């Protein structure tokens, strides 16, 4: 007699890294040929636990090295206090628990929250990663979501139509140290909205439908030219993370050799401890050369691979590509092709980056930036700054956008000559760069006009330039500064921010001498911080509206 396991098949859907366009993981989905096994599993925790084990074994048979996502109902975890035999199945397959993310799916109603949290703590103790699934379309209480402190939060694509809710979830994820993924991405509009929302991962029919055989490539829409070049401090390493080939630190050289020879695309293996932290790095070419040399197999086959590895090179997930190059620069030239391990805040390996990927991205970044530089000051133009404004908006950051220019510049040019005017513009641009602190960006948008994007706390350094004794051809010159502070939800994009800035610039230019006017998007009025009228303007004057 055929059982339900005889008619159960599994499909694999890729989880896509939205920045690199590569496959970051595979979600395993049960596909019964008959009956409603999933409906029964929702009512029967033991059945759901068995499904999780079967899903993992189905992936293990495909011999994929990609991290895996396995679905499990919240009620199952609360009832079983874990997922029974899954940890043992992972060990038997030679995989690491931290390569498996458990997607906890709704419903949460009537699930004992304390029991669920205790079960999650047990799974984390084994090393599994935790994902909260179906957010925005499920019934997970916000307090429980915070208490779960998941490594990943999966948002339903329907939430993309509510940008304020997505921004709030992004802020929560930043506080929890969690990644943001969007499920159900079916159109390029969904894709663009997920990018704008700041999601790092996504999955859906647009990239690839679920398939019985894991796909090797996915469709990713071409990048929008309006995205602008990467910020000077980036690109960030998280954009280039590849899945890592991991083995326990106790693995033998024969185990490493089997993995490398069976996976020609793997450039190296990381040996990790019980917590998932990299301990040794085994480089493909150097390892196989040692094994293939005279007596190499006899000498090393049964010995720990640890002895044939090197100290791992590691960077945090928030590192920039430039910081990775600093890490690579330390050590002998024979290690320049080694993978660099990327670790999370707990020191656990989340993937690797390859030097070739970083060099290519940095070269492209420099070409893009050079094309947009102003020939006089060598500062980026407006596209770079406005693109960064949109990225800060997507991140939910509070920022200050400032417009600085030289007062009566035409008269300066006419009186002192264009060469003196050019020298003055170069001096102002250089001073702005030196005054910009942290992640502030300075742009030269043409003529004597400059844009500065900064945190509100960095405004005083920029405003200090107003007090400097500027001259052109011996003639005294003053500067005007207009600033709009934009909080979450106050403006939708850089165009609205620029529209808020325009009346403030006009107000600053109407003052005598060096002037600075500051307003806040969405609030009426502005404050005069420099100029002949050293008092706040009356409410309603030059209102700053998005």
């Amino acid at each position: 007699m055929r059982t339900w396991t005889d008619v159960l098949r599994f499909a694999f859907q890729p989880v896509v890294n939205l920045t690199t366009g590569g496959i970051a993981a595979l979600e395993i989905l049960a596909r019964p040929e008959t009956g409603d096994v999933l409906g029964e599993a929702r009512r029967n925790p033991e059945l759901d636990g068995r499904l999780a084990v079967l899903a993992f074994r189905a992936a293990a048979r495909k011999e994929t090295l990609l991290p895996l996502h396995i679905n499990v109902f919240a009620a199952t975890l609360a009832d079983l206090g874990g997922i029974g035999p899954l940890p043992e199945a992972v060990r038997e397959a030679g995989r690491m628990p931290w390569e498996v993310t458990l997607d906890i799916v709704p419903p949460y109603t009537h699930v004992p929250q304390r029991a669920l949290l205790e079960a999650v703590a047990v799974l984390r103790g084994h090393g599994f990663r935790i994902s909260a699934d179906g957010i925005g379309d499920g019934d997970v209480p916000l307090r429980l979501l915070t208490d779960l402190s998941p490594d990943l939060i999966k948002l339903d694509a329907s939430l993309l139509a509510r940008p304020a809710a997505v921004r709030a979830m992004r802020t929560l994820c930043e506080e929890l140290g969690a990644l943001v993924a969007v499920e159900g991405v079916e159109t390029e509009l969904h894709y663009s909205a997920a990018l704008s929302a700041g999601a790092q991962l996504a999955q859906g029919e647009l990239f690839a439908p679920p398939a019985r055989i894991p796909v090797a490539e996915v469709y990713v829409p071409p990048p929008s030219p309006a995205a602008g070049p990467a910020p000077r401090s980036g690109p960030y390493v998280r954009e280039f993370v590849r899945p890592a080939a991991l083995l326990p630190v106790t693995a033998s050289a024969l185990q490493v050799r089997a993995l490398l020879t069976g996976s020609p695309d793997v450039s190296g293996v990381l040996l990790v401890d019980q917590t998932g932290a990299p301990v040794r790095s085994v480089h493909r070419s150097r390892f196989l050369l040692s094994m293939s040399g005279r007596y190499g197999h006899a000498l090393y086959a049964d010995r720990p691979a640890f002895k044939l590895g090197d100290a791992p090179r590691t960077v945090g997930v928030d590192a920039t590509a430039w910081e990775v190059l600093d890490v690579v620069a330390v050590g002998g030239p024979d290690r320049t092709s080694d993978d660099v391990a990327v670790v999370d805040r707990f020191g656990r390996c989340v993937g690797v980056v390859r030097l070739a990927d970083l060099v290519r991205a940095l070269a492209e970044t420099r070409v893009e930036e050079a094309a947009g530089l102003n020939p006089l000051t060598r500062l980026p133009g407006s596209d770079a700054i406005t693109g960064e404004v949109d990225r800060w908006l997507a991140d939910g950051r509070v920022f200050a956008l400032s417009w600085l220019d030289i007062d009566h510049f035409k008269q300066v040019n006419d009186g002192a000559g264009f060469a003196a005017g050019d020298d003055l513009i170069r001096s102002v641009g250089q001073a702005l760069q030196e005054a910009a602190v942290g992640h502030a960006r300075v742009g030269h948008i043409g003529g004597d006009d400059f844009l500065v994007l900064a945190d509100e706390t960095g405004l005083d350094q920029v405003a200090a330039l107003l007090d400097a004794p500027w001259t052109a051809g011996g003639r005294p010159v003053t500067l005007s500064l207009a600033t709009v502070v934009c909080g979450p939800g106050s403006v939708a994009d850089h165009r609205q921010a620029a529209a808020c800035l325009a009346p403030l610039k006009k107000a600053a230019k109407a003052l005598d001498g060096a002037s600075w006017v500051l307003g806040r998007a969405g609030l009426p009025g502005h404050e005069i911080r420099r100029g002949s009228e050293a008092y706040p303007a009356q409410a309603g004057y030059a209102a700053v509206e998005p």
Side-chain angles (χ1 to χ4, degrees):
M1 179 178 177
R2 300 181 75 193
T3 65
W4 61 270
T5 56
D6 296 324
V7 295
L8 183 65
R9 299 292 182 267
F10 292 93
F12 303 87
Q13 185 169 46
V15 179
V16 177
N17 182 316
L18 286 180
T19 305
T20 65
I23 302 174
L26 292 174
E27 181 173 354
I28 311 162
L29 305 168
R31 290 290 187 264
E33 294 182 3
T34 59
D36 185 14
V37 173
L38 294 180
E40 294 179 31
R42 185 163 63 177
R43 297 184 293 270
N44 185 339
E46 290 188 1
L47 175 59
D48 192 34
R50 291 177 63 191
L51 277 177
V53 174
L54 290 172
F56 173 80
R57 287 176 175 161
R61 287 194 295 270
K62 301 298 181 182
E63 297 183 345
T64 175
L65 293 175
L66 287 166
L68 305 173
H69 284 243
I70 298 175
N71 293 305
V72 60
F73 288 109
T76 297
L77 298 182
D79 188 86
L80 299 181
I83 332 178
L86 181 62
E88 182 61 29
V90 172
R91 282 192 293 270
E92 289 175 355
R95 297 297 294 263
M96 305 293 122
W98 46 86
E99 297 178 80
V100 179
T101 297
L102 297 174
D103 290 355
I104 305 178
V105 298
Y108 287 83
T109 304
H110 307 308
V111 174
Q113 294 188 10
R114 180 179 294 275
L116 175 59
L117 293 173
E118 290 175 351
V120 167
V122 170
L123 292 167
R124 279 210 168 97
H126 285 295
F128 291 101
R129 300 181 190 276
I130 302 299
S131 166
D133 204 347
I135 303 303
D137 193 44
D139 60 346
V140 56
L142 186 58
R143 180 174 60 82
L144 176 60
L145 181 62
T146 305
D147 291 342
L148 281 173
S149 189
D151 302 283
L152 173 67
I153 288 180
K154 289 189 172 183
L155 306 180
D156 187 84
S158 62
L159 206 61
L160 295 174
R162 298 165 178 82
V166 176
R167 285 195 297 270
M169 293 306 305
R170 176 66 189 271
T171 301
L172 175 62
C173 287
E174 289 177 352
E175 291 291 328
L176 298 177
L179 297 176
V180 179
V182 177
E183 294 184 294
V185 175
E186 298 180 351
T187 66
E188 295 196 8
L189 187 61
H190 284 163
Y191 170 77
S192 298
L195 281 178
S196 299
Q200 293 99 346
L201 304 169
Q203 56 190 121
E205 296 279 340
L206 175 68
F207 308 110
R212 296 288 176 87
I213 298 175
V215 298
E217 295 182 356
V218 293
Y219 167 75
V220 177
S224 168
R232 179 173 301 174
S233 57
Y236 290 97
V237 69
R238 60 175 173 264
E239 301 174 15
F240 308 98
V241 174
R242 295 171 176 258
L246 304 177
L247 284 176
V249 70
T250 55
S252 68
L254 198 59
Q255 289 175 292
V256 172
R257 182 178 183 274
L259 191 156
L260 291 175
T261 55
S263 308
D265 293 335
V266 173
S267 56
V269 176
L270 289 174
L271 305 179
V272 295
D273 64 16
Q274 292 182 346
T275 68
V279 178
R280 301 294 277 182
S281 174
V282 179
H283 185 268
R284 180 187 189 91
S285 298
R286 293 198 299 274
F287 174 83
L288 293 178
L289 185 61
S290 298
M291 289 289 288
S292 61
R294 191 176 185 184
Y295 308 122
H297 191 275
L299 285 173
Y300 300 120
D302 295 325
R303 299 184 67 186
F306 180 96
K307 296 183 178 297
L308 292 174
D310 300 288
R313 292 171 166 177
T314 61
V315 295
V317 291
D318 293 324
T320 67
W322 296 106
E323 291 173 293
V324 177
L325 293 185
D326 290 339
V327 171
V328 172
V330 177
D334 60 322
R335 295 200 61 192
T336 54
S337 62
D338 286 18
D339 293 341
V340 177
V342 182
V343 297
D344 62 16
R345 69 186 190 279
F346 302 110
R348 301 175 303 192
C349 180
V350 298
V352 295
V353 290
R354 295 180 179 175
L355 182 62
D357 292 342
L358 298 182
V359 172
R360 186 181 306 111
L362 291 173
E364 292 172 354
T365 298
R366 283 295 175 257
V367 169
E368 290 174 349
E369 287 187 351
L373 294 182
N374 186 286
L376 183 60
T377 58
R378 308 304 295 169
L379 288 172
S382 60
D383 286 348
I385 305 302
T386 55
E388 190 71 357
V389 167
D390 288 337
R391 281 187 282 270
W392 285 31
L393 283 170
D395 290 341
R397 297 177 60 175
V398 178
F399 64 87
L401 184 63
S402 299
W403 189 326
L404 181 142
D405 72 346
I406 301 168
D407 294 328
H408 311 297
F409 183 68
K410 185 178 185 305
Q411 297 177 20
V412 172
N413 253 358
D414 292 343
F418 72 86
D422 287 350
D423 289 341
L424 177 60
I425 289 174
R426 276 191 287 264
S427 297
V428 172
Q430 182 178 351
L432 276 174
Q433 277 190 297
E434 294 172 354
V437 294
H439 294 289
R441 300 294 309 277
V442 178
H444 183 189
I445 60 177
D448 62 317
D449 294 317
F450 296 86
L451 280 180
V452 182
L453 174 64
D455 292 324
E456 188 175 0
T457 55
L459 288 175
D460 288 338
Q461 289 90 331
V462 175
L465 300 183
L466 302 176
D467 301 325
W470 297 102
T471 61
R475 300 166 180 261
V477 175
T478 58
L479 308 179
S480 292
L481 179 67
T483 300
V484 62
V485 178
C486 301
S490 61
V491 293
D493 55 23
H494 69 269
R495 293 177 179 83
Q496 286 193 3
C500 291
L501 193 54
L504 297 175
K505 180 191 176 186
K506 183 177 180 181
K509 300 299 287 185
L511 301 174
D512 292 330
S515 60
W516 180 20
V517 167
L518 182 143
R520 297 182 182 275
L523 297 178
H526 62 255
E527 177 185 355
I528 300 174
R529 294 196 170 186
R530 294 279 200 289
S532 59
E533 300 177 65
Y535 59 88
Q538 295 297 318
Y541 172 63
V544 182
E545 299 178 353

